[in-house]
Amino acid sequence: QSGLGLALARQGRYQEALAPMTAAMALDPHRTDLHRDLAALLFMLDRWEDAAGEMQSPLLLDNTDHAAWLGLSDCYARMGRTREAASVLERAAAQLPDHPQIRRGLADAYELWVVNCARTGDWSGAYEGLLRLREHYPADPRTLRLSSVLTPP
């Protein structure tokens, strides 16, 4: 079932791929790769909430699965929930403190949090995100750039 679902997905037939992917995952719910594949498919269908739910399953089985942490954060970011996206990667960094993709993703998530809040006029939220960015990445050029345009509320 998983093979059929992946083949359909590779052809861009995402909706058709959903049934075989779901069936394959139901047969072996402990395979983290199947959960990630199904989440990726839901992601392609712009079903961010469902994809986020599916990305949480691999983390219950293996909290060091960096791809699942990054995918879950990306789902929250796509939904406009940038604080949650950063929070997910803060938890990931606690599990995988030296993982370069998690570290880079967390810096990106903080920047997105700041920019998204500023775009909507949530200046206290933007400053809160900037403080986190500054705390964890003081030498990052984004920290300096954003600090120069944001002042405390």
Side-chain angles (χ1 to χ4, degrees):
Q1 293 290 341
S2 174
L4 174 61
L6 290 172
L8 290 168
R10 277 189 216 104
Q11 295 171 13
R13 297 163 57 187
Y14 305 124
Q15 193 62 46
E16 291 175 70
L18 198 53
M21 290 297 295
T22 303
M25 198 207 48
L27 292 172
D28 196 353
H30 298 292
R31 283 189 48 197
T32 58
D33 61 318
L34 294 179
H35 285 281
R36 279 194 312 270
D37 289 345
L38 180 57
L41 180 60
L42 293 165
F43 195 89
M44 296 304 294
L45 291 167
D46 295 340
R47 291 175 51 183
W48 316 121
E49 191 76 42
D50 294 332
E54 207 50 59
M55 275 297 185
Q56 291 178 27
S57 296
L59 294 172
L60 296 174
L61 300 169
D62 176 11
N63 66 359
T64 64
D65 184 339
H66 76 279
W69 284 113
L70 292 165
L72 180 58
S73 177
D74 198 13
C75 288
Y76 285 131
R78 300 276 179 149
M79 290 186 279
R81 294 159 54 182
T82 53
R83 290 176 196 201
E84 288 174 82
S87 176
V88 162
L89 291 180
E90 287 173 338
R91 293 192 319 263
Q95 298 297 321
L96 304 161
D98 298 321
H99 196 285
Q101 289 176 301
I102 296 293
R103 301 270 317 143
R104 189 171 36 256
L106 182 54
D108 293 344
Y110 285 143
E111 179 185 28
L112 185 60
W113 174 1
V114 172
V115 170
N116 190 56
C117 285
R119 218 179 264 143
T120 62
D122 177 5
W123 299 111
S124 63
Y127 193 68
E128 181 185 349
L130 177 59
L131 289 177
R132 298 262 183 100
L133 180 64
R134 217 186 261 164
E135 175 186 345
H136 295 281
Y137 304 92
D140 188 299
R142 296 174 286 193
T143 302
L144 301 172
R145 181 176 46 82
L146 291 169
S147 293
S148 72
V149 295
L150 280 179
T151 56

